[in-house]
Amino acid sequence: MIYLNDDIAGFDLEAALPLLSDQRREQTLRFRYELGRKTCAMAYLLLCKGLRQEYGISEPPVFGYGEHGKPFIIGRPDIHFNLSHCREAVACVLSDEPVGIDVESVREYKESLVRYTMNDEEMASIRQADSPALEFTRLWTCKEAVLKLTGEGISNDLKDILKRPSRLTTVVGPEGRYVYTVCHKAARG
């Protein structure tokens, strides 16, 4: 299940802080700017909402971290989740299988970044799109969601990462302000 909140301006950080676990509150307050604090807290509260609705869990989750920093809920190996945030929105996905999500604001892209991160086919798709910035963001969220599914982080095979078998679902937010992609492992066939 996907949970999304794109009302960052309307989020009351002070009211939210007591709702966070001690661990998440400390992490939230380490952000230098208010936007980072808000989105960190919002992502956690989306996870809490999902845990209540999907699993009947009302206690704030405490995280452990995998080899590459991917969080998991201590004591609940059956629940897989992933969080993401940008300037425009915060997203959380919950599943009974490994899952990744990425949300990114749509903004101008740099040709040098396109050449560094995209393969020839993807570069052609970006250049031919009605909105090259939107297409770049769509492809970027796909790549990030795949990497977040595995917990690898940015890898050397970034140009070919979308050739891995996976199920991707991409949504463009209102007015094209942001894009998010969810990635599940490909169904065994």
Side-chain angles (χ1 to χ4, degrees):
M1 182 63 78
I2 300 165
Y3 296 87
L4 185 91
N5 186 341
D6 60 8
D7 183 18
I8 295 171
F11 182 74
D12 185 346
L13 179 61
E14 293 306 313
L17 287 174
L19 304 174
L20 308 179
S21 69
D22 291 342
Q23 177 192 48
R24 191 63 174 200
R25 189 176 314 106
E26 287 174 22
Q27 184 179 5
T28 296
L29 294 174
R30 275 186 250 146
F31 280 88
R32 184 175 182 179
Y33 297 106
E34 183 180 33
L35 178 64
R37 289 187 200 116
K38 280 185 167 186
T39 57
C40 183
M42 290 173 74
Y44 184 82
L45 292 177
L46 284 179
L47 174 63
C48 291
K49 177 181 179 178
L51 291 172
R52 276 192 310 279
Q53 290 181 358
E54 305 296 318
Y55 298 94
I57 297 171
S58 58
E59 292 297 314
V62 176
F63 299 156
Y65 294 90
E67 178 184 352
H68 300 286
K70 184 174 182 177
F72 61 88
I73 300 170
I74 293 176
R76 292 306 303 253
D78 58 318
I79 300 174
H80 299 270
F81 75 96
N82 203 229
L83 307 172
S84 184
H85 48 82
C86 67
R87 295 179 143 301
E88 305 290 336
V90 176
C92 170
V93 63
L94 284 155
S95 181
D96 59 357
E97 63 182 19
V99 65
I101 191 166
D102 187 51
V103 62
E104 298 287 340
S105 302
V106 176
R107 55 186 162 211
E108 294 281 332
Y109 71 92
K110 296 180 181 175
E111 186 66 26
S112 60
L113 183 60
V114 170
R115 284 193 307 274
Y116 182 73
T117 60
M118 302 293 162
N119 62 38
D120 291 342
E121 184 178 308
E122 293 162 345
M123 285 191 294
S125 176
I126 292 166
R127 290 182 182 125
Q128 294 167 6
D130 289 338
S131 171
L134 182 63
E135 180 64 2
F136 172 78
T137 305
R138 182 189 73 77
L139 288 166
W140 181 257
T141 63
C142 290
K143 290 173 186 258
E144 282 273 348
V146 169
L147 293 169
K148 290 179 77 176
L149 168 106
T150 64
E152 293 173 62
I154 301 295
S155 66
N156 292 332
D157 67 340
L158 198 53
K159 287 186 177 186
D160 295 321
I161 199 80
L162 295 182
K163 293 179 181 175
R164 294 181 184 182
S166 58
R167 292 178 295 150
L168 298 167
T169 304
T170 300
V171 175
V172 176
E175 301 168 10
R177 293 184 348 234
Y178 60 87
V179 176
Y180 71 87
T181 297
V182 176
C183 180
H184 292 88
K185 284 187 179 177
R188 294 182 183 108

